[in-house]
Amino acid sequence: MTSLADLPLRADLVGRTAYGAPQLHVPVTLNVNENTHPVPEDVRADILQRIAVALDEVNRYPDREFTALREALAGYLGHGLVPDQLWAANGSNEVLQHVFQAFGGPGRTLLTFPPTYSMYPNYATTSGTAVVDGRRDDDFRLSPETLVAEITRVGPDIVIVAAPNNPTGTPVGLDTIRAAYDATDGVLIVDEAYAEFMPKDAPSALTLLPGRPRLAVSRTMSKAFAFAGARLGYLAADPAFVDALRLVRLPYHLSAITQAAALGALAHAPLMLRTVDEIRVQRDRMAEGLEALGYRVAPSWTNFLLFDGVDDPKALWQSLVDRGVLIRDLAIPGSLRVSAGTASETDAFLAAMAALTPVGAR
Ligand code: PMP
């Protein structure tokens, strides 16, 4: 059988493994920060109707500029954004890949702040961009001083900050984003994949866009919107920044079916987001339950928790799988990550954790 070693693979890809959390079929799946609630019936019917209309013209290429979708995304985000400031692709993964294709590349450097979303170095590697890991403050926080010091040390072409951060749930203050923007002459990407789970009065980096043409704020419909399977991520930035992404996208990258489905979901945004408050409640219940068992839980502004104090994360992860509960082992010493879902998923997770945590062990 042919193996990778037999193929003339690009030298910098040799020895690398493909990204991917295990996709196991177990009753309680809390490993990739999805919204575990299904799309409401009424919205489903409307989306199906819109897809049926799109099928009438599916013999033709879709609107390459996804004009209606950009309008709908600008309307959803608010903050005075106009469609020319919006970009979308098949998940924010593809949006971020476009950013790296346009602004990274050989001779260029990404500054990222682990522990953070593990795809960032991957976009860098596949676009030939060098990666430098920046330092965080205590408790995974990022102060303006630390970020500015790291930018000054590295001189990056791309700085990416997940706000709130994955896998820690840590918020990032707008003072940090402002200071980072002023310190870099590269592009600054604020990844707000989990923005809808932030406290309601917490400001978004979208408010910082005016007058900052090197800043981009990415979002996704995969998390709060319960639309991970539809693959729709997006970004807001200066129109010139968006023009740069047009240079690297493949023609017609967003299918007519995807555009129709996303338009349907956005037309019912409040209904699609109706589970967000409940998910926050479940997240906080999980945190209390884990703390009662003796684990330390990082404060989270997202739909997941990173908990610490696990003697053997790999073994606990496997024991949870054996009990039908799938969470995430990100190889952070002593820690595991769990997504918040429904009340019964919280019950199942906490019951399994209680059974697997020896009494008096902590
Ligand atoms: N950014 C962050 C911080 C994420 O956690 C994820 C998904 N886990 C993504 C981006 C990518 O999500 P998607 O491609 O589904 O939009």
Side-chain angles (χ1 to χ4, degrees), residues 65-85:
E65 291 300 327
F66 43 100
T67 318
L69 181 56
R70 279 169 39 221
E71 274 167 22
L73 289 168
Y76 168 68
L77 289 179
H79 297 288
L81 290 167
V82 296
D84 279 355
Q85 292 183 268

Side-chain angles (χ1 to χ4, degrees), residues 107-131:
R108 297 199 162 199
T109 302
L110 160 72
L111 175 61
T112 175
F113 296 88
T116 192
Y117 184 39
S118 51
M119 277 301 293
Y120 300 156
N122 194 309
Y123 313 134
T125 310
T126 54
S127 61
T129 312
V131 185

Side-chain angles (χ1 to χ4, degrees), residues 201-220:
D201 55 353
S204 156
L206 291 169
T207 58
L208 301 181
L209 285 174
R212 292 185 176 86
R214 292 174 291 106
L215 173 66
V217 181
S218 68
R219 295 273 188 111
T220 181

Side-chain angles (χ1 to χ4, degrees), residues 32-33 90-94 96 117 120 123 162 166 191 193-194 220 222-223 231-233:
V32 284
N33 303 339
N90 298 282
S92 51
N93 268 307
E94 190 183 15
L96 294 171
Y117 184 39
Y120 300 156
Y123 313 134
N166 175 14
D191 179 351
Y194 300 94
T220 181
S222 298
K223 309 298 179 181
R231 308 305 296 128
L232 202 289

